[in-house]
Amino acid sequence: MANPYPPLTDTPALTPLLLRGALLSPFKRPRADAEFPRTHLVLPGVRVDLAKLAAYERVCGFPTGDDALPVTYPHVLGFPLAMRLMSCRAFPLPLLGLVHTSVEITRHTATPATGEYELTVYVDELAPHRRGTEATVTTEMRTGDALVWESRSTYLARHRTEAQASRATEEPPPLPTVAEWRLGEDVGRRYGAASGDRNPIHLHPLTARLFGFPRAIAHGMWTAARCLAAHGTPERALVRAEFRAPVLLPGTVEYAALDDRFALRDTAGRIHVKGFVRPPVA
């Protein structure tokens, strides 16, 4: 498929992309064997806005002022490019209702906040899921020719499918609780201001109700970042987080961790996020 976009000279604005994706959503017919954009969007010369970075660090619980970027921050830098792909007419899944189900991040080396980077984002594949169709979006960050950071995010479009429901797998024993966090109703707005992701389901109870949520919900990437800020990550790391259930705002959650694993759950034990931090695969 031909590249539908000219080379990027600046970060795309998220709000128009959200609006375009919302307007096109009713006309999408998702299926796993659909064609999808093969475009690789490349944005060179990316520099971090240190004020926005500090706001992100504060809302996610990372220490401020460190020279190294938080392990999740390149996702924020690449997200507008991902949105440009997922909101275009050629992308077969509707943006409205698309659920971020997982993220896997590999940090190969230190990523200084004062560095200059090149971002590449592309849709890697579509795959059948027992609840619909899942798209995998890959983001790569380079310094010169060196790949310093990369991620794979999966996004699920729910629709009727003939696939049989998979059998429930046995869960490992619950991780021990490390801390209890009381989350304010403004977490979504604060994270949205820092990240640029102002999806209405995260901002206010009234707009969240339009999409079937009783209250605003926290961004999945905020829940992952908040857990990783508490857990800590080495300079070289492989991180994975699975988003199981939304976190309603305001609310109280338990952060649990043991060795390389972490989880976020409600006070009744239902898991919102689970994941791990390990050395990268050689």
Side-chain angles (χ1 to χ4, degrees), residues 18 67 171 194 233:
L18 281 168
D67 183 48
E171 291 285 349
T233 52

Side-chain angles (χ1 to χ4, degrees), residues 209-234:
R209 286 183 195 130
L210 296 175
F211 298 92
F213 297 100
R215 304 196 298 277
I217 65 171
H219 295 72
M221 284 304 298
W222 176 84
T223 63
R226 184 68 185 88
C227 289
L228 292 166
H231 188 282
T233 52

Side-chain angles (χ1 to χ4, degrees), residues 53-251:
L53 173 61
Y56 176 90
E57 290 169 334
R58 285 192 293 269
V59 72
C60 295
F62 291 105
T64 58
D66 281 2
D67 183 48
L69 292 175
V71 68
T72 49
Y73 196 72
H75 175 89
V76 172
L77 299 176
F79 186 65
L81 280 68
M83 281 295 299
R84 185 162 182 172
L85 288 173
M86 292 192 291
S87 66
C88 76
R89 192 177 299 274
F91 185 70
L93 308 186
L95 194 63
L96 286 182
L98 206 60
V99 179
H100 195 183
T101 50
S102 74
V103 63
E104 184 172 286
I105 295 170
T106 303
R107 184 166 62 188
H108 297 282
T109 188
T111 52
T114 52
E116 182 174 316
Y117 301 101
E118 179 183 272
L119 294 170
T120 302
V121 178
Y122 55 94
V123 180
D124 191 54
E125 64 176 350
L126 297 184
H129 186 280
R130 62 188 178 87
R131 292 183 177 177
T133 299
E134 201 167 57
T136 299
V137 178
T138 295
T139 302
E140 300 170 346
M141 190 168 78
R142 289 176 171 82
T143 299
D145 293 331
L147 180 64
V148 295
W149 184 101
E150 59 185 314
S151 74
R152 287 169 59 86
S153 281
T154 57
Y155 297 91
L156 173 65
R158 295 178 179 175
H159 59 84
R160 189 177 298 240
T161 174
E162 295 180 0
Q164 294 181 353
S166 59
R167 294 181 180 179
T169 57
E170 186 176 349
E171 291 285 349
L175 300 176
T177 300
V178 175
E180 184 176 273
W181 298 333
R182 294 183 179 181
L183 309 180
E185 58 89 24
D186 65 340
V187 165
R189 293 191 292 276
R190 291 173 57 211
Y191 183 84
S195 68
D197 183 358
R198 293 182 171 87
N199 188 317
I201 63 175
H202 304 301
L203 303 182
H204 194 275
L206 292 179
T207 52
R209 286 183 195 130
L210 296 175
F211 298 92
F213 297 100
R215 304 196 298 277
I217 65 171
H219 295 72
M221 284 304 298
W222 176 84
T223 63
R226 184 68 185 88
C227 289
L228 292 166
H231 188 282
T233 52
E235 183 176 291
R236 298 181 67 250
L238 170 65
V239 170
R240 180 171 175 82
E242 298 176 17
F243 306 115
R244 294 287 197 87
V247 176
L248 296 175
L249 301 172

